[in-house]
Amino acid sequence: MKERLEALRVEALQELQQVDNPQQLNDLRVKYLGKKGALTEILRGMGGLSAEERPVIGQVGNEVRAAIEGVIDEKQNAFLAAETENRLRAETIDVTLPGKALPTGAVHPLNKVAQEIEDVFVGLGYSIAEGPEVETDYFNFEALNLPKNHPARDMQDSFYITEDILMRTHTSPVQVRTMQQMNGKPIKVICPGKVYRRDDDDATHSFMFNQIEGLVVGPNIRMSDLKGTLLQFVQQMFGEQAQIRLRPSFFPFTEPSAEVDVTCVQCGGHGCRMCKQTGWLEILGCGMVHPRVLEMGGYDPKEVSGFAFGMGVERIALLKYGIDDIRHFYTNDQRFLSQFARM
Ligand code: DAH
């Protein structure tokens, strides 16, 4: 029996040396030390031993069990250590690696251009005024010297809500609202906002678009102040080389009125397709505030004078970025919008 125990020890230790995974190790534990294992099997024969032999064999049996257990524990610890090391290696974070860039939103090109325009005028000492998009006929037309049935109302096809309430067709009503609020004091404001017209949408028209209005009122405000202001604006917006020209025009709320062109942003004034070979691009309307409009705003045209201008933000943005269709601004195509995120 002693020989069988010794042989078992040798066999078990040899087999244990070959083990290379925890599953195998466990199988061997069962095979040698389990309830139905080889060691138990041999020791079951102890019943037939003499009283002197029994403790001796018992002793050897314990030694063999201890030896096998010892190797199993050792192996087990080695597997555990290896597994821990692997896990730690897998979990290790290299803090020197560059991070993954997350997709981020960006300012819409129209808001960007509007902000740029506002910045120029704020830099010139203007304040920003706002007014409602749902406006009364009085502020949108009448107080701007466009009486009911005046043919100039045809210049702007309007969305009416009731006979006297409409979606404002321009930001000019904010001129009147500002004059009423300022109560005779000098004014220097710009008024940005959305406006609405009953136009069919196409590459250059939209039922809704953005305007920025300007209004300056005070003693001795002259046409030359208007011209200098607009030149300053255009050069900050389009570059030092940009020039302007004023063409006589008509708006009921200004007298005289003018349309302002800027030197073509594409060809610099030489003539190209964009400017239809004229070298100029139209960018805004302006004029000296009509005495009747001053009066209706509560100002005395004998004491003060003023100039006003109004421009479309979309139009400035189209020119500035060489965009060919106004609808790009409203259709939220990521491929279009993301180009402005980096500018
Ligand atoms: N309100 C005009 C429009 O929407 C633009 C405009 C022209 C505004 C001349 C002005 C101005 O203040 O003086 O077509």
Side-chain angles (χ1 to χ4, degrees), residues 156 170 172 175 197 211 213-214 251 253-254 285-287 308-310:
Q156 302 174 352
H170 50 183
S172 304
Q175 285 189 28
R197 299 212 186 153
Q211 282 190 334
E213 189 84 13
F251 298 103
F253 29 91
T254 43
C286 66
F309 55 87

Side-chain angles (χ1 to χ4, degrees), residues 81-312:
E83 190 194 306
T84 308
E85 198 185 315
N86 282 340
R87 204 187 58 233
L88 286 180
R89 193 175 301 130
E91 285 175 359
T92 302
I93 295 168
D94 181 351
V95 294
T96 65
L97 284 175
K100 284 185 190 142
L102 294 172
T104 53
V107 178
H108 190 280
L110 280 182
N111 287 337
K112 205 166 185 144
V113 170
Q115 262 166 31
E116 251 178 90
I117 298 171
E118 287 169 27
D119 282 351
V120 172
F121 284 104
V122 167
L124 294 173
Y126 285 66
S127 312
I128 295 181
E130 282 181 285
E133 287 172 29
V134 179
E135 189 53 285
T136 59
D137 181 277
Y138 176 77
F139 284 116
N140 195 81
F141 289 129
E142 288 225 43
L144 288 164
N145 199 28
L146 273 134
K148 286 216 160 55
N149 306 319
H150 192 291
R153 285 194 180 199
D154 278 354
M155 289 165 78
Q156 302 174 352
D157 285 324
S158 319
F159 287 117
Y160 279 91
I161 293 167
T162 69
E163 208 167 307
D164 290 316
I165 299 175
L166 72 162
M167 301 306 290
R168 68 177 174 196
T169 58
H170 50 183
T171 43
S172 304
V174 189
Q175 285 189 28
V176 186
R177 287 178 174 277
T178 305
M179 283 190 273
Q180 290 191 353
Q181 274 163 24
M182 291 299 281
N183 207 10
K185 292 196 284 285
I187 296 174
K188 204 170 166 187
V189 290
I190 50 165
C191 324
K194 293 189 179 72
V195 302
Y196 300 82
R197 299 212 186 153
R198 205 154 36 74
D199 274 328
D200 287 330
D201 290 0
D202 62 22
T204 54
H205 295 82
S206 164
F207 68 90
M208 184 280 302
F209 59 100
N210 293 268
Q211 282 190 334
I212 295 186
E213 189 84 13
L215 175 68
V216 175
V217 179
N220 292 318
I221 300 295
R222 293 158 307 180
M223 189 90 181
S224 53
D225 297 319
L226 171 61
K227 224 180 144 178
T229 300
L230 294 176
L231 181 62
Q232 183 64 33
F233 162 67
V234 155
Q235 292 187 339
Q236 287 200 42
M237 235 16 228
F238 296 102
E240 289 291 309
Q241 76 295 336
Q243 292 296 322
I244 54 169
R245 72 172 183 187
L246 273 63
R247 285 178 288 107
S249 184
F250 171 78
F251 298 103
F253 29 91
T254 43
E255 181 59 37
S257 303
E259 244 148 358
V260 177
D261 299 339
V262 61
T263 36
C264 179
V265 291
Q266 189 89 28
C267 62
H270 301 296
C272 68
R273 253 181 55 175
M274 188 171 184
C275 58
K276 300 202 181 84
Q277 309 304 329
T278 63
W280 297 97
L281 297 165
E282 186 189 322
I283 58 159
L284 56 82
C286 66
M288 299 307 289
V289 181
H290 197 289
R292 292 255 284 282
V293 174
L294 286 173
E295 256 166 20
M296 282 184 280
Y299 285 74
D300 182 352
K302 289 190 222 66
E303 299 283 320
V304 295
S305 48
F307 67 72
F309 55 87
M311 68 184 95

Side-chain angles (χ1 to χ4, degrees), residues 8-27:
L8 184 73
R9 183 214 296 257
V10 172
E11 186 199 324
L13 295 191
Q14 245 169 27
E15 214 175 339
L16 280 168
Q17 289 314 317
Q18 315 296 323
V19 162
D20 61 5
N21 67 61
Q23 179 61 48
Q24 265 179 13
L25 188 65
N26 203 44
D27 291 349

